[in-house]
Amino acid sequence: MNTDTPTPEHAANGAAPTETPADTAGDAEASFPTPLADLQSKLTAANDSYLRAKAEAENTRRRADEEISKARKFAIESFADSLLPVRDSLEAAIALQGASNEQLLEGAHATLRQLSAALERNKVLAINPPAGTKFDPHQHQAISVVPAEQEANTVVTVLQKGYLIADRVLRPALVTVAAAK
């Protein structure tokens, strides 16, 4: 205990009052943070950092989900935009009165070129194997096996073109295949 009044022992000795170890510990607490207070402040800071990181991760996930949703919603937009001129050409052909067969055929060919260009721009490519091409079950669908004067398991004729979209088969080509001899 620290007092300014001398105790009887001090008075008898004439000595000044001295501080006890308990008194110095109290002064140390006032001037230096205790390990517990230090750990609590670190815990508070770590908890704050965690909550901020968690909120940032949640915001990032939400933004990514919105972007995915928009991408799905508008993925076909460019494809539809490239098909609109084809529709316009077909509507113009239908509205045309008194056109000759040659004019209609020429218009149909022009419309087919527009459609082909629109499909190509969107990476939709035709699968149209020439006769003699080895049968590929990943790109061709055999409708029948016919006797032919060519190597077995090769394409004889294409009944319907197939299509790829970005190297993925959209529809296999329908083909007849040469039978084994």
Side-chain angles (χ1 to χ4, degrees), residues 74-84 115 118-124 165:
F74 299 110
I76 197 165
E77 183 178 11
S78 68
F79 185 68
D81 185 50
S82 64
L83 289 179
L84 292 177
L115 179 61
L119 291 173
E120 247 179 69
R121 271 194 307 275
N122 289 283
K123 296 180 178 56
V124 177
I165 185 164

Side-chain angles (χ1 to χ4, degrees), residues 128-149:
N128 191 15
T133 303
K134 182 150 179 61
F135 176 75
D136 180 359
H138 300 290
Q139 293 189 354
H140 311 140
Q141 182 175 347
I143 297 301
S144 64
V145 178
V146 295
E149 295 298 320

Side-chain angles (χ1 to χ4, degrees), residues 14-179:
T18 59
E19 293 183 358
T20 61
D23 290 337
T24 57
D27 290 340
E29 284 179 16
S31 62
F32 298 108
T34 64
L36 180 60
D38 188 35
L39 290 175
Q40 284 177 334
S41 69
K42 286 181 180 179
L43 176 63
T44 302
N47 192 28
D48 184 54
S49 294
Y50 165 73
L51 290 176
R52 289 178 188 273
K54 184 178 177 184
E56 180 64 27
E58 185 64 28
N59 288 339
T60 301
R61 187 197 58 77
R62 183 183 46 78
R63 283 191 297 269
D65 286 346
E66 288 173 2
E67 288 295 319
I68 290 169
S69 175
K70 286 179 184 177
R72 286 182 182 147
K73 190 174 183 180
F74 299 110
I76 197 165
E77 183 178 11
S78 68
F79 185 68
D81 185 50
S82 64
L83 289 179
L84 292 177
V86 176
R87 181 184 172 105
D88 294 340
S89 294
L90 291 172
E91 287 175 344
I94 291 171
L96 189 61
Q97 299 294 323
S100 68
N101 287 342
E102 292 83 26
Q103 289 173 323
L104 289 175
L105 185 59
E106 183 181 329
H109 283 295
T111 304
L112 180 60
R113 284 191 300 274
Q114 280 182 323
L115 179 61
S116 295
L119 291 173
E120 247 179 69
R121 271 194 307 275
N122 289 283
K123 296 180 178 56
V124 177
L125 304 172
I127 302 172
N128 191 15
T133 303
K134 182 150 179 61
F135 176 75
D136 180 359
H138 300 290
Q139 293 189 354
H140 311 140
Q141 182 175 347
I143 297 301
S144 64
V145 178
V146 295
E149 295 298 320
Q150 61 191 48
E151 189 177 331
N153 292 326
T154 57
V155 174
V156 176
T157 57
V158 176
L159 304 172
Q160 184 180 54
K161 289 181 187 177
Y163 291 92
L164 295 171
I165 185 164
D167 298 326
R168 183 175 174 186
V169 175
L170 187 61
R171 179 179 80 189
L174 301 180
V175 298
T176 57
V177 178

